[in-house]
């Protein structure tokens, strides 16, 4: 399938070398797979950035939402590549019947696929060895429905993680459950908050060193943000770190060394707030967590401050809209950096942190790439938190740049929020230049690939009071496209070492899916109006597109089936904030909940002749008497 002309016309700042080597296509009927991971060598003309793909799971498996600890979302599989991706067809599908937004990816471990739905958070195990991938077991946790009315942006779930024979995931009512993958029964289940007070959970946990790391949602309800560590074997709480409050609560001690002087001082999580305001100050931890096993550090972001009306909370409001580096065994903070001090626009700092290694000033450095909601793409030294690169990656006008001496944004006064006075054309809007939808990194090209927004807002603030379990919000806004009036979104390639777009694909509707990068030099993403696309990772050429039954805002993944064939899977099921922003736009699709699994030519054990499994299939027809 050849992409439409408007999608093939990408605005391109081409990579330095264009004579790039493509991989040979594998036969769709006899796929060949090495017993060791395929070699992930950089292409000619790549940026020079690479990544540690620990824990180096079997190449055909997908055990966590980002696949690796570094949050690259990169697969070493290359059966599907630039030469044959246009032959992708649907191999099989699975519908869960849930009407809420689908934001997770399935997991594949061995011969089993694991799927977790939005509320009511049902887990399914699908047997990939049998035609049609029948259900092996179902686990229904039955979380109370009160959580639906407390969730900010739909009753979503961002997916499970697999570890030590357990499928671990969050429930919307602020519980965490570990399901034994052999029996489908819970190994443990713990409660970490009360929905009646506005606490919910939507994030995907991370497991590092036998510790389950999980955070809460509800910043727009005045919930105080926290990251909790649970024992993988028992679910017992090991430690808890808050995002606001005194140093003891935030787990800031003698080993804390922030990168800039203004982040140094005692109890800044209290003193940067009006008296007592930190107790309902937001900073929830609902995004992605990365882990560097060599440094033994985790990296986690915090959400917006509460209330969202900045006039009610003068000060920097630490440690909201920020990032922490912590010891996973103790929770002790090693450094922190605030992306948006005194956040006036709801620019959470929860987006993914991709851990890469790259040349800076002639030496290889351990780096962290973070495309923040505030519109700046940051590359930090992940040992210190100090900025290496910080440049805009999408439509934004609220700041003129980043002060290199302090790391603080240089705010444009005309774009500051005001009480009972409308401020027009603030870019980006409240969900940022990119929301939670995770980017991917390819060590083949050294580039980061992301779905981004071209959305601005007209904003009016209204003062609010705190009542537990009710919105602590005050933002009244309308959205509209930015400078590129014809498109609400785009798919971009970003050079994390220079802070520049390499190419982009404009999209009429929002692009709010996760991204998958592969060793076949193909990257995959989806749009909220239901297109699933495959793009050449080197130059942005659209190689294949498929219209699905609903919008795509989930995370694509890829795996090897028992037949040793490579499959690509993605959920179609729009909802969440995408429906809030674009639900009234002509052409916006209905909700849904279908997992689509693709292969070259649609071949799989789930299609073809002779798949009927009932006894007597193909025998001569019997004689049936008609009733009198």
């Amino acid at each position: 399938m050849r992409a439409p002309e408007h999608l093939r016309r990408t605005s391109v700042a081409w990579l330095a070398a264009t004579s790039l080597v493509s991989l040979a296509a594998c036969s769709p009927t006899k796929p060949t797979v090495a017993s060791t991971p395929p070699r992930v060598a950089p292409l000619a003309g790549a940026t020079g950035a690479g990544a540690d793909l620990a824990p180096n799971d079997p190449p055909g498996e997908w055990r966590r939402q980002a696949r690796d600890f570094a949050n690259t979302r990169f697969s070493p599989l290359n059966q599907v590549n630039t030469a044959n991706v246009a032959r992708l067809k649907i191999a099989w599908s699975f519908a869960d019947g849930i009407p809420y937004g689908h934001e997770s990816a399935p997991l594949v471990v061995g011969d089993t696929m694991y799927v977790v739905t939005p509320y009511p958070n049902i887990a399914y195990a699908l047997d990939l060895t049998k035609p049609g991938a029948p259900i092996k077991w179902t686990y229904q946790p039955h979380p109370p429905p009160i959580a639906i009315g407390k969730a900010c942006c739909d009753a979503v779930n961002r997916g499970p993680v697999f570890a030590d024979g357990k499928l671990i995931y969050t429930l919307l009512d602020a519980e965490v459950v570990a399901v034994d993958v052999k029996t489908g029964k819970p190994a443990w289940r713990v409660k970490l908050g009360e929905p009646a007070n506005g606490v919910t959970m939507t994030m995907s946990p991370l497991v590092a060193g036998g510790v389950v790391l999980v955070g809460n949602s509800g910043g727009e309800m005045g919930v105080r943000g926290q990251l909790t560590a649970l024992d993988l074997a028992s679910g017992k709480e090991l430690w808890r770190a808050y995002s606001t409050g005194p140093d003891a609560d935030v787990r800031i001690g003698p080993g804390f060394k922030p990168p800039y002087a203004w982040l140094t001082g005692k109890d800044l999580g209290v003193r940067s707030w009006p008296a007592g305001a930190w107790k309902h100050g937001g900073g929830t931890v609902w995004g992605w967590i990365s882990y560097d096993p060599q440094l033994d550090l985790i990296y986690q972001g915090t959400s917006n401050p509460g209330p969202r009306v900045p006039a009610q909370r003068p000060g920097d409001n630490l440690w909201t809209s920020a990032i922490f580096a912590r010891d996973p065994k103790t929770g002790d903070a090693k450094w922190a950096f605030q992306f948006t001090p005194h956040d006036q626009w709801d620019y959470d700092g929860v987006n993914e942190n991709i851990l890469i290694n790259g040349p800076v000033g002639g030496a290889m450095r351990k780096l962290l790439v973070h495309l923040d909601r505030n519109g700046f793409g940051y590359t930090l030294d992940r040992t210190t938190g100090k900025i290496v690169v910080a440049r805009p990656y999408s439509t934004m006008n609220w700041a003129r740049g980043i002060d290199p001496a302090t790391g603080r944004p240089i705010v444009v006064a005309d774009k500051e929020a005001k009480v009972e006075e409308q401020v027009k054309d603030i870019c980006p809007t409240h969900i940022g230049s990119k929301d939670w939808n995770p980017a991917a990194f390819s060590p083949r090209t050294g580039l980061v690939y992301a779905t981004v927004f071209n959305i601005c807002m007209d904003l009016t603030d209204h003062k609010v009071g705190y009542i537990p379990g009710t919105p602590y919000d005050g933002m009244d806004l309308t959205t509209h496209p930015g400078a590129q009036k014809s498109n609400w979104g785009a798919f971009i390639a970003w050079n994390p070492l220079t802070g520049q777009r390499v190419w982009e694909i404009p999209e009429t509707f929002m692009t709010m899916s996760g991204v998958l990068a592969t060793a076949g030099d193909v990257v995959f993403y989806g749009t909220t109006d239901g297109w699933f696309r495959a793009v050449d990772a080197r130059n942005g050429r659209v190689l294949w597109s498929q219209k699905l039954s609903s919008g795509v805002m989930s995370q694509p993944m890829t795996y090897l089936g028992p037949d040793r064939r490579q499959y690509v899977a993605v959920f179609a099921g729009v909802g969440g904030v995408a429906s809030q922003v674009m639900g009234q736009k002509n052409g916006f699709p209905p909700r849904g909940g279908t997992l689509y699994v693709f292969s070259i030519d649609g071949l799989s054990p789930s299609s073809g002749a002779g798949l009927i499994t009932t006894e007597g299939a193909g025998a001569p027809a019997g004689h049936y008497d008609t009733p009198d």
Side-chain angles (χ1 to χ4, degrees):
M1 178 187 298
R2 186 167 173 78
E5 180 65 25
H6 78 282
L7 290 173
R8 287 184 279 115
R9 290 197 307 266
T10 56
S11 57
V12 178
W14 298 106
L15 291 172
T18 57
S19 57
L20 305 177
V21 180
S22 62
L23 298 172
C26 295
S27 166
T29 55
K30 294 182 179 179
T32 57
V33 181
S35 58
T36 57
R39 181 170 175 262
V40 182
L43 288 164
T47 68
D52 178 2
L53 302 180
N56 296 305
D57 296 327
E61 296 190 351
W62 197 277
R63 298 187 175 194
R64 60 194 60 77
Q65 294 298 296
R67 193 173 192 278
D68 50 51
F69 291 147
N71 265 250
T72 69
R73 291 175 167 80
F74 174 81
S75 169
L77 300 181
N78 59 15
Q79 282 185 32
V80 177
N81 52 60
T82 56
N84 63 13
V85 69
R87 290 163 49 197
L88 281 183
K89 290 182 173 60
I90 296 172
W92 60 277
S93 62
F94 173 80
D96 61 25
I98 306 297
Y100 302 115
H102 285 63
E103 297 186 351
S104 74
L107 304 184
V108 170
V109 183
D111 293 338
T112 305
M113 174 180 283
Y114 301 99
V115 173
V116 169
T117 75
Y119 184 91
N121 304 134
I122 302 169
Y124 294 97
L126 308 180
D127 190 343
L128 298 178
T129 68
K130 297 179 180 178
I135 298 171
K136 296 172 68 173
W137 53 254
T138 302
Y139 172 65
Q140 300 190 51
H142 300 292
I146 184 178
I148 300 174
K150 303 299 180 180
C152 148
C153 312
D154 205 358
V156 301
N157 184 281
R158 297 188 180 92
V161 60
F162 174 90
D164 194 28
K166 301 178 183 68
L167 189 72
I168 305 153
Y169 65 99
T170 58
L171 308 182
L172 191 62
D173 70 327
E175 293 184 87
V176 184
V177 63
V179 180
D180 186 309
V181 298
K182 291 183 180 178
T183 66
K185 299 183 183 303
W188 50 260
R189 180 171 172 173
V190 297
K191 184 86 167 173
L192 296 178
E194 291 297 334
N197 295 328
V199 184
T200 53
M201 283 187 172
T202 58
M203 73 167 291
S204 178
L206 180 75
V207 177
V211 177
V212 178
L213 300 157
V214 65
N216 59 354
S217 301
E220 67 293 331
M221 297 274 191
V223 169
R224 186 184 178 201
Q226 66 186 48
L227 177 68
T228 303
L230 306 173
D231 178 69
L232 173 60
S234 65
K236 178 184 176 182
E237 184 172 321
L238 301 175
W239 55 260
R240 183 174 296 192
Y242 290 92
S243 304
T244 64
D247 287 350
D249 287 4
V250 185
R251 305 192 78 86
I252 288 177
F256 182 66
K257 294 180 173 57
Y260 299 99
W262 60 278
L263 296 167
T264 302
K266 183 173 176 55
D267 292 330
L268 294 183
V270 173
R271 295 194 295 110
S272 61
W273 294 83
W278 58 269
K279 297 177 182 178
H280 309 296
T284 49
V285 184
W286 58 269
W288 303 103
I289 304 175
S290 306
Y291 175 54
D292 183 333
Q294 292 183 343
L295 296 177
D296 197 22
L297 291 176
I298 59 168
Y299 303 89
Q300 49 96 183
T302 66
S303 81
N304 60 287
R308 292 201 292 179
V309 181
Q312 294 183 241
R313 44 174 174 79
D316 281 345
N317 310 136
L318 293 163
W319 298 88
T320 63
S321 299
I323 180 177
F324 279 97
R326 297 186 183 274
D327 184 326
K329 298 183 297 298
T330 65
D332 292 346
K334 299 304 180 182
W335 59 259
F337 174 71
Q338 190 178 43
F339 298 108
T340 314
H342 185 56
D343 182 359
Q344 304 181 57
W345 308 275
D346 193 22
Y347 295 157
D348 303 40
V350 299
N351 287 3
E352 70 286 350
N353 302 299
I354 303 174
L355 310 185
I356 68 171
N357 305 312
V360 177
M364 291 297 289
R365 299 264 293 276
K366 285 180 168 287
L367 305 173
L368 178 154
V369 183
H370 176 95
L371 301 183
D372 196 70
R373 283 177 36 153
N374 71 13
F376 286 99
Y378 294 85
T379 300
L380 308 179
D381 184 316
R382 71 175 181 269
T383 64
T384 66
K386 198 170 184 65
I387 292 175
V388 176
V389 175
R391 295 188 61 179
Y393 65 90
S394 191
T395 304
M396 61 90 67
N397 63 12
W398 68 275
R400 292 194 301 274
I402 301 295
D403 184 335
T406 65
R408 294 175 70 99
I410 304 167
V411 177
V412 175
D414 289 346
K415 302 302 179 184
E416 295 193 78
K418 296 178 175 61
V419 175
E420 305 302 336
E421 181 180 338
Q422 187 180 66
V423 182
K424 290 183 175 272
D425 199 37
I426 301 173
C427 307
T429 186
H430 63 305
I431 55 173
S433 292
K434 188 181 83 63
D435 198 2
W436 68 271
N437 37 298
F441 170 79
S442 172
R444 293 269 295 164
T445 63
L447 298 176
V448 170
Y449 304 90
T451 54
V452 301
F453 308 144
N454 173 43
I455 310 177
C456 304
M457 65 179 169
D458 300 333
L459 173 65
T460 305
D461 278 354
H462 310 285
K463 287 190 175 182
V464 293
Y466 175 71
I467 302 173
T470 64
Y472 195 40
D473 189 347
M475 291 180 73
D476 181 10
L477 61 93
T478 58
T479 58
H480 57 84
Q484 298 171 329
K485 298 296 183 182
S486 62
N487 63 287
W488 289 70
F491 182 59
I492 69 169
W494 176 258
N495 186 330
L497 302 181
T498 63
Q500 294 176 319
R501 286 199 194 199
V502 178
W503 46 256
E504 74 170 316
I505 302 170
E507 290 282 1
T508 302
F509 282 75
M510 286 173 65
T511 46
M512 200 174 175
S513 77
V515 182
L516 165 66
T518 72
D521 298 329
V522 180
V523 286
F524 295 87
Y525 75 100
T527 70
T528 54
D529 60 330
W531 285 101
F532 186 46
R533 306 199 195 280
V535 176
D536 190 316
R538 300 161 297 182
N539 54 38
R541 181 169 177 256
V542 178
L543 302 173
W544 169 86
S545 295
Q546 173 71 59
K547 188 70 163 64
L548 303 181
S549 58
S550 183
V552 180
M553 49 186 290
S554 62
Q555 303 165 63
M557 56 82 73
T558 187
Y559 69 94
L560 284 182
D563 58 353
R564 313 308 292 162
R565 192 184 314 278
Q566 183 179 352
Y567 295 88
V568 178
V570 70
F571 257 109
V574 77
V577 72
S579 292
Q580 296 174 357
V581 173
M582 305 208 71
Q584 303 304 312
K585 186 175 175 60
N586 288 338
F588 194 77
R591 289 177 178 253
T594 300
L595 176 71
Y596 292 92
V597 182
F598 300 89
S599 67
I600 298 299
D601 297 327
L603 296 173
S604 79
S606 297
S607 61
L611 293 181
I612 189 166
T613 57
T614 52
E615 292 184 11
H623 174 72
Y624 297 93
D625 292 330
T626 56
D628 293 334

